[in-house]
Amino acid sequence: MTASATAAPPALRPGPAAPQPTRRRGRFGIHLFLGAVSLAFLAPLLLAVYASLRPYEETAKYGYFSFPRRLSFDYYRQAFVDSGMSKYFLNSLLIAVPGVLLTLFLASFVAFAVSRLRIRGGLVLLMVFTAGNLLPQQVIVTPLYVLFNRVPLPYWMSDSLTMYDSLWAVIAVQTAFQLGFCVFVLANFMRTLPREILEAAIVDGAGVWAQYWRVTLPLCRPALAALGTLQFTWMYNDFLWGLVFLSDGDKLPVTSALNNLRGQFFTDYNLLAAGSVLVALPTVLVFLLLQRHFIAGLTLGASKG
């Protein structure tokens, strides 16, 4: 009997296995869990937006979870005008934007040296920068306060002629504390880049600066975008350092402007919710603008190995 005669007819051959119902139920469970977690994180923001659109008298009478009788944007205009939020927005941008650029610039320098150049003590240097993140910030508030009162600055940089009561003090502290985390992330990211690219640049006569600026840094754009988004959010939302090192109320960041919406004997929490939403808008805008690069930076290298 030939082999063709013994072969099973095409109709009887086993086809591809049908998707199992348990797998579908597992995916549905994962999506349900992720949706619930996302809703839990968004619930406070959604409640703040909902409350900011309703009059305080209505929520005081019917509760915050009641059906709205009237919605308006009056509280947003009132919050922006009454708190003087425009100058505080500018103060926060003058702190966050230079702080982020300086942090990423210095961190990429160090990360390039410890990951792409063969220098002695590179691993120890990386460990030192990483260990800086383990130090609680509140521990050195008093030493920094004394130090900044003794560091002189020219009159065109500081009204107090010292680093205290100047935006430079807040920028310096933000940069110092965020530098270790950025060095750790960028150094590990640069190690994943093909070394053949750097060797080809060396063969073409590229110096150390060209290897860093023209070869390595463009390849780190997703990681820099992800770090830039996180760093801007952290520096912009910070409240501690501005309160400690700035005595002039006109120099405080925007997070402190919310205190201007609190009355001495009465606080309109719907007005405060509108101010909170306004304060959060720049960070949401930055994330939307850098969303594609941010996600690429987080997921790059996830499928390697």
Side-chain angles (χ1 to χ4, degrees):
M1 185 178 293
T2 60
S4 59
T6 59
L12 299 179
R13 292 176 183 172
Q20 299 178 359
T22 55
R23 183 178 301 178
R24 292 182 178 178
R25 289 196 296 267
R27 290 182 178 178
F28 176 76
I30 292 175
H31 288 118
L32 184 63
F33 172 75
L34 293 177
V37 172
S38 301
L39 184 62
F41 276 96
L42 288 175
L45 178 61
L46 296 177
L47 181 60
V49 174
Y50 182 54
S52 66
L53 297 175
R54 304 177 62 188
Y56 178 79
E57 294 78 9
E58 181 179 307
T59 55
K61 182 178 181 180
Y62 300 104
Y64 282 95
F65 296 97
S66 60
F67 189 79
R69 272 71 174 174
R70 183 174 67 89
L71 299 176
S72 68
F73 291 94
D74 294 340
Y75 273 136
Y76 288 93
R77 178 190 55 79
Q78 184 179 348
F80 190 84
V81 174
D82 291 354
S83 64
M85 200 168 286
S86 57
K87 64 179 179 181
Y88 295 109
F89 268 127
L90 180 60
N91 292 339
S92 291
L93 292 178
L94 290 177
I95 293 173
V97 174
V100 170
L101 295 178
L102 185 61
T103 301
L104 295 181
F105 185 64
L106 296 177
S108 61
F109 260 149
V110 180
F112 175 77
V114 300
S115 63
R116 310 298 287 177
L117 302 180
R118 294 184 176 90
I119 61 174
R120 289 186 176 181
L123 181 59
V124 176
L125 183 63
L126 179 61
M127 293 175 60
V128 170
F129 274 93
T130 306
N133 293 326
L134 305 178
L135 180 67
Q137 299 180 2
Q138 295 80 2
V139 173
I140 60 173
V141 167
T142 302
L144 286 178
Y145 177 84
V146 175
L147 176 64
F148 288 160
N149 273 284
R150 297 182 180 180
V151 176
L153 288 179
Y155 69 92
W156 53 271
M157 293 183 64
S158 173
D159 298 335
S160 62
L161 301 181
T162 62
M163 283 194 68
Y164 178 74
D165 196 25
S166 70
L167 298 181
W168 300 104
V170 184
I171 294 174
V173 173
Q174 295 281 13
T175 301
F177 271 102
Q178 302 300 334
L179 194 60
F181 174 74
C182 292
V183 169
F184 176 77
V185 174
L186 287 176
N188 287 280
F189 182 85
M190 290 180 182
R191 285 196 177 96
T192 65
L193 301 178
R195 192 154 192 93
E196 291 78 8
I197 298 178
L198 196 63
E199 293 174 353
I202 296 175
V203 172
D204 291 338
V208 175
W209 174 257
Q211 298 172 33
Y212 161 75
W213 186 258
R214 300 180 60 183
V215 178
T216 304
L217 213 56
L219 298 175
C220 297
R221 186 179 303 174
L224 291 173
L227 283 175
T229 306
L230 292 175
Q231 294 301 316
F232 180 84
T233 303
W234 293 339
M235 294 184 185
Y236 176 86
N237 290 329
D238 179 73
F239 181 73
L240 173 65
W241 297 121
L243 199 64
V244 171
F245 298 128
L246 297 174
S247 60
D248 188 353
D250 292 334
K251 299 178 182 178
L252 291 173
V254 71
T255 48
S256 63
L258 297 178
N259 284 331
N260 297 337
L261 300 177
R262 300 175 65 92
Q264 183 177 2
F265 302 104
F266 168 75
T267 300
D268 189 338
Y269 289 100
N270 293 28
L271 176 63
L272 196 61
S276 301
V277 173
L278 287 176
V279 170
L281 282 180
T283 56
V284 176
L285 180 61
V286 169
F287 175 78
L288 293 177
L289 292 176
L290 299 177
Q291 179 181 8
R292 181 169 60 89
H293 299 288
F294 178 76
I295 296 176
L298 292 181
T299 58
L300 194 62
S303 60
K304 291 185 178 180

